[in-house]
Amino acid sequence: MTTSPTLDPTGRPISRARSQSHIPVFPFAPVSRPRLHTALDAVVDNHNGGVLLVCGPVGVGKTVAVADWAATYLPRSHPDTRTAWLTVREQTALWPELRSRLRVHAAGTGQPAAGVGEADAILTALAGSAEPTVVVIDDAHLITDPLALAGLEYFLQNAPPTVTTVLCARFDPPIRWHLLQLHSRLTRWSAPDLALSPEEATRLCDGHECALDQQGLRALMSLTEGWAALVRIAAIYLTASSSENTDALTALARPPHAFADLLVGELIDTLSPALRQFLTCTSVPEEFTEQLADELVGGGAAHLLYELDRINFPMTTMSRSGRVWYSYHPMLRAYFLAEANRLGQDLCADLHLRAARQLTAVGELQAALTHLLAVPDHRPLASFLSEHALALVFADHGESLFDALAAAAPDVLTDPFLRLLQATDALLHGGSGSAQAYRDSARILADDDPHSIAGPYRLDALTVAVDAELAVATGADTEPIVFPERMPPADRPDLDGYLAVTTGTALALRGELARGEERLRIALSRTRSRCHPRLRLIAVTRLAVTAGLAGSITTMRQRAERACAIARDHELLDLPETVHATALEAYGAYLQGSDPHPEQIRILCAEHIRRDGTPGPVAGWLPHVVGTLLDCQCSEAPGTATDRLRRSIGRLLDADPAPILGGSLLSAAVWALLGVNETTAARQVVERARTVLGVTPDTVLSTAALTAVTGNHHTVINQVEPVLTATSGAHPVARLTGWLLYARAHHQLGNDSKTREAVDNGLRIGATHRVSRPFFDVPGTIDLLDYYAGCFGHTSAFADSVRSGHRSRRRVQHPPLTATELRILQQLPSGRTTQHIADDLSVSINTVKTHLRGIYAKLGTRSRMETLQEARRSGLL
């Protein structure tokens, strides 16, 4: 009776067998794995002489999975199939043993290549039988005899369709597998295919009375990656442990003896000294490239990596940033990392420094930091932080950076440059209060010791940048801040770009739009390369802000669209800057008459849990106000939407007293409230805005909107005239809104010439900037455009587009016109006679008169003039 090796619960080999089929039996109940059984059945069902090669290191579950299928599931799914199981030993006579399993009594051919001849004889016997057959050859890597390998290759290539062969091995037997692949007859499984899923690992642990919660299961899977033998050993260890599962799992991070016995005895002891040294050195980084491995071992990494791949060593490869990265199984890495630590502190520190140097060179800054923190000498760490810490902050690794420094190098955190970096990180996350505290701490530290790890230039530049950004975030006066007259030469892209962004924004917000725009363009040019894309995203978004402040709505919208494209390209969609860019793009579209996009509303109105644990908008209240304003335009419950708008703009006024986004956002919100008769709420918002912002064009126009509702037209005229005649020039949207309020008031007072002049002025501004929203907001404006339609000269086309854009908002009470009636109606503004119209349409004059009577009846009019006015009012013309 032939026995077959397997593993006991501690990972040691045992031997048991089935007396007839030779399929191994186990001292434990195998975990049910239907996904593998289905895949095995699929190989059999192909009926093409298929081959399944199952390769993986010891204990990954090769034998258990195939044996459980062959003994339990195959007889049910394929009851007419016979199974022949052969476990190879070092002295196994392959072909006689296989003949015995198959009960084939053919002799070999006596050819010089006896292996091929014997294989051919067995195939001849199998070909003469219609009975489906599954041949399983376990531990096939032990087949080393050249004749046996030649026979095995011949057997696999020439197997009849009724024969399916399954080979289990620790690595590929050296035969020409590509020939089978060319005929689509080879299926490969490796260790990842055999890895236990979390559900399967749970069932295995339950079988050992080891109950794990979700956190414990995640920790177990992270340590073992589903390696079946390691999961089983861990379950036994946890069951026997007196500690809580969480503590016991933590202890497993350093392999106990049961793990080490399995890994060393079955895997590591078989490696050459060169491979063991390579594994020891390359276990220092969590992941490595071939170049990094060369740096760690002194060269020759390509050959050694090939050898590890050839013997199927548990190693994962992945492609990232155009490079191939390698990583070891966590348990194996833990073993070799312990070996590396035994080499001595100096040698281990040297390996960490080499790894950090190479990782920094390829831009893996966070990984490089981990290695520098492991070096007792903090001088390389300080040099790294002065060069690259700002880039880590922009990559949103600031919190983990400062936590790691607090744990491993708290002395470095007392440097004023690091305090300023903490302020920068807080500002990027909307924490202006925390940022101010860090800024004050940096000032105190600099007063106590002016020397910094970053040197005087970097410290001064970051100080100015933080002060400028703090002033922007809090609405503080920027006059005391001394901005450099010229930007220094670009040799530190991240810091130089950040300095240009912050000072450019501060200059723009205090009214120096030209200087601010110039700085932001410099920032954009300096962030095109060697900078985190977030800094470029910020620069483009701030350029959109300056365009909005200058009244260039189209430019603002285009720049905001570009910023959103950068965010999409670099997967930065969750950042506050992306939300700000979305707000600028959406508000620009809103001003230019486009309907809001539901996805933009969702992004702008989204909330999250901030660092202090409180909920709030993702990017502050300004984008949230834009989102709620847009929501008012398409919400099916306008009352609820406007209530959210009222509360949102109130929170904005409370939280950020800085000037509100250019383009009369305040007055747009007031018009939205007035549009649903929320006069009291609108009045409360205006009063609060006047208290916080003082007298600005936006607060003046909002007040005039409230006055217009009361019908006090003389007061409206007096209120808006300062905005229209201001020497400094108000924002174009504010001036457009002012002219429309002015026109409406004079129209109500019967001043036709003043009305026409104001409408003309408003149309010129609107046509120049393609802004149409105020025409929809100010009541009665569309009626004025209808009344004067066709009389606006070069702005007539823009006026018609505004009226066309408002059609969907009109409520037409009359019956619809027929196609012919509509064609005749479109001829009326030309002043042509009824006969001329009849001639143009090739119909009789009586037909035209009949259709005219139908038009008058449907529109409720009695003359051509009344018909034209009603058609324009209702949007038909």
Side-chain angles (χ1 to χ4, degrees), residues 390-445:
L390 185 60
L392 284 170
V393 169
F394 278 113
D396 206 26
H397 299 315
E399 188 172 12
S400 59
L401 165 66
F402 302 126
D403 288 346
L405 290 175
D411 55 306
V412 177
L413 268 180
T414 60
D415 190 276
F417 185 75
L418 268 297
R419 282 287 192 267
L420 290 171
L421 285 174
Q422 287 177 298
T424 301
D425 183 59
L427 286 167
L428 288 173
H429 289 87
S432 55
S434 299
Q436 186 64 64
Y438 287 127
R439 173 67 185 96
D440 294 341
S441 175
R443 184 180 294 108
I444 295 171
L445 290 171

Side-chain angles (χ1 to χ4, degrees), residues 52-280:
L52 173 62
L53 177 61
V54 185
C55 275
V58 62
V60 296
K62 305 181 296 293
T63 302
V64 174
V66 177
D68 187 40
W69 167 74
T72 308
Y73 290 88
L74 183 62
R76 293 203 297 265
S77 62
H78 299 78
D80 297 330
T81 300
R82 64 172 170 171
T83 303
W85 186 290
L86 172 62
T87 299
V88 178
R89 303 272 184 101
E90 290 184 359
Q91 303 302 322
T92 296
L94 179 63
W95 302 112
E97 290 285 352
L98 189 57
R99 283 200 306 272
S100 173
R101 300 294 189 276
L102 291 167
R103 297 184 180 88
V104 172
H105 301 291
T109 63
Q111 298 175 11
V116 173
E118 291 177 343
D120 185 61
I122 293 176
L123 290 174
T124 301
L126 291 173
S129 171
E131 182 181 13
T133 302
V134 172
V135 177
V136 181
I137 302 177
D138 195 14
D139 286 341
H141 60 279
L142 295 177
I143 304 174
T144 56
D145 178 67
L147 293 179
L149 287 168
L152 178 61
E153 181 177 309
Y154 183 85
F155 180 89
L156 297 178
Q157 290 178 10
N158 295 280
T162 56
V163 175
T164 301
T165 309
V166 180
L167 292 96
C168 299
R170 295 188 183 179
F171 50 84
D172 295 9
I175 63 177
R176 294 175 295 178
W177 296 105
H178 65 277
L179 297 177
L180 290 169
Q181 288 176 313
L182 287 173
H183 294 88
S184 301
R185 290 175 53 206
L186 177 64
T187 303
R188 286 181 176 271
W189 286 2
S190 60
D193 300 303
L194 294 165
L196 296 175
S197 68
E199 294 76 16
E200 292 166 344
T202 299
R203 292 200 297 271
L204 189 152
C205 291
D206 289 344
H208 290 278
E209 299 181 355
C210 172
L212 293 177
D213 57 17
Q214 287 298 316
Q215 180 180 356
L217 179 62
R218 284 194 296 271
L220 177 64
M221 295 303 293
S222 176
L223 285 170
T224 65
E225 292 187 348
W227 194 333
L230 299 184
V231 173
R232 190 175 298 280
I233 294 172
I236 296 170
Y237 175 83
L238 292 172
T239 302
S241 175
S242 59
S243 305
E244 293 290 334
N245 279 345
T246 304
D247 297 332
L249 282 166
T250 303
L252 283 178
R254 293 192 62 183
H257 290 301
F259 285 104
D261 290 347
L262 173 64
L263 298 175
V264 174
E266 299 291 340
L267 186 62
I268 297 173
D269 274 351
T270 63
L271 300 173
S272 67
L275 283 177
R276 293 189 65 162
Q277 181 183 4
F278 178 82
L279 289 164
T280 300

Side-chain angles (χ1 to χ4, degrees), residues 433-744:
S434 299
Q436 186 64 64
Y438 287 127
R439 173 67 185 96
D440 294 341
S441 175
R443 184 180 294 108
I444 295 171
L445 290 171
D447 290 342
D448 292 341
D449 183 3
H451 300 290
S452 168
I453 63 172
Y457 167 74
R458 288 184 180 140
L459 183 62
D460 292 345
L462 188 57
T463 299
V464 174
V466 169
D467 287 345
E469 192 72 356
L470 261 174
V472 170
T474 60
D477 185 12
T478 59
E479 291 297 334
I481 305 175
V482 179
F483 297 142
E485 288 297 323
R486 294 177 177 270
M487 290 301 300
D491 59 345
R492 301 170 181 86
D494 287 309
L495 182 55
D496 294 335
Y498 186 51
L499 178 62
V501 163
T502 55
T503 56
T505 305
L507 287 167
L509 288 180
R510 76 181 186 187
E512 299 182 45
L513 291 178
R515 286 187 66 195
E517 174 97 6
E518 179 188 8
R519 288 287 175 90
L520 289 168
R521 288 185 177 277
I522 292 173
L524 184 59
S525 67
R526 294 188 177 182
T527 57
R528 292 185 190 279
S529 62
R530 295 196 299 148
C531 284
H532 192 274
R534 182 175 187 176
L535 193 52
R536 187 160 68 256
L537 169 64
I538 295 173
V540 178
T541 303
R542 302 288 176 86
L543 279 167
V545 172
T546 60
L549 293 173
S552 302
I553 304 302
T554 300
T555 303
M556 177 187 79
R557 188 176 175 184
Q558 291 171 344
R559 290 176 175 176
E561 289 173 350
R562 182 181 174 193
C564 291
I566 292 172
R568 287 192 298 272
D569 291 344
H570 296 281
E571 298 182 352
L572 304 176
L573 297 176
D574 295 332
L575 294 181
E577 293 80 18
T578 305
V579 181
H580 276 287
T582 303
L584 292 166
E585 179 186 357
Y587 189 58
Y590 171 84
L591 290 174
Q592 294 185 329
S594 300
D595 291 328
H597 193 285
E599 179 62 16
Q600 290 179 327
I601 296 174
R602 185 194 66 78
I603 292 172
L604 297 175
C605 294
E607 296 189 357
H608 72 147
I609 302 299
R610 295 174 291 201
R611 283 188 173 183
D612 59 4
T614 60
V618 173
W621 289 102
L622 181 57
H624 197 269
V625 168
V626 175
T628 52
L629 175 63
L630 299 180
D631 193 27
C632 290
Q633 306 304 309
C634 59
S635 175
E636 296 180 357
T640 304
T642 51
D643 184 59
R644 286 198 300 268
L645 173 62
R646 177 186 58 79
R647 288 186 282 109
S648 180
I649 202 166
R651 294 295 299 272
L652 171 63
L653 291 168
D654 292 337
D656 186 4
I660 293 181
L661 180 71
S664 300
L665 178 60
L666 174 64
S667 60
V670 170
W671 286 120
L673 293 171
L674 293 176
V676 290
N677 298 319
E678 291 283 351
T679 307
T680 302
R683 192 175 303 279
Q684 292 172 348
V685 168
V686 172
E687 290 173 354
R688 177 63 180 154
R690 283 203 302 258
T691 301
V692 173
L693 303 175
V695 179
T696 68
D698 211 1
T699 57
V700 169
L701 293 172
S702 300
T703 304
L706 288 173
T707 306
V709 172
T710 65
N712 193 341
H713 306 298
H714 288 289
T715 303
V716 170
I717 293 170
N718 292 332
Q719 288 172 334
V720 301
E721 277 183 340
V723 175
L724 304 178
T725 59
T727 55
S728 59
H731 192 279
V733 178
R735 288 190 291 114
L736 170 56
T737 305
W739 279 118
L740 297 182
L741 281 167
Y742 191 78
R744 179 179 184 273

Side-chain angles (χ1 to χ4, degrees), residues 669-837:
V670 170
W671 286 120
L673 293 171
L674 293 176
V676 290
N677 298 319
E678 291 283 351
T679 307
T680 302
R683 192 175 303 279
Q684 292 172 348
V685 168
V686 172
E687 290 173 354
R688 177 63 180 154
R690 283 203 302 258
T691 301
V692 173
L693 303 175
V695 179
T696 68
D698 211 1
T699 57
V700 169
L701 293 172
S702 300
T703 304
L706 288 173
T707 306
V709 172
T710 65
N712 193 341
H713 306 298
H714 288 289
T715 303
V716 170
I717 293 170
N718 292 332
Q719 288 172 334
V720 301
E721 277 183 340
V723 175
L724 304 178
T725 59
T727 55
S728 59
H731 192 279
V733 178
R735 288 190 291 114
L736 170 56
T737 305
W739 279 118
L740 297 182
L741 281 167
Y742 191 78
R744 179 179 184 273
H746 277 294
H747 177 69
Q748 295 294 327
L749 295 173
N751 299 327
D752 189 67
S753 61
K754 291 284 189 180
T755 301
R756 174 63 187 278
E757 178 187 3
V759 172
D760 282 339
N761 289 335
L763 282 173
R764 279 194 292 272
I765 297 171
T768 300
H769 298 280
R770 308 304 300 172
V771 173
S772 59
R773 174 58 55 176
F775 292 94
F776 304 154
D777 286 340
V778 179
T781 300
I782 299 298
D783 292 337
L784 293 177
L785 296 183
D786 291 340
Y787 184 79
Y788 295 114
C791 304
F792 297 120
H794 68 278
T795 60
S796 291
F798 176 73
D800 289 342
S801 70
V802 172
R803 295 172 58 242
S804 176
H806 196 263
R807 279 181 187 170
S808 60
R809 299 171 175 83
R810 300 175 189 263
R811 294 184 179 179
V812 180
Q813 304 295 332
H814 53 72
L817 302 182
T818 66
T820 304
E821 289 171 343
L822 188 58
R823 289 175 63 191
I824 292 173
L825 176 64
Q826 291 168 347
Q827 295 285 332
L828 297 184
S830 64
R832 298 171 68 79
T833 66
T834 305
Q835 183 63 59
H836 287 154
I837 295 173

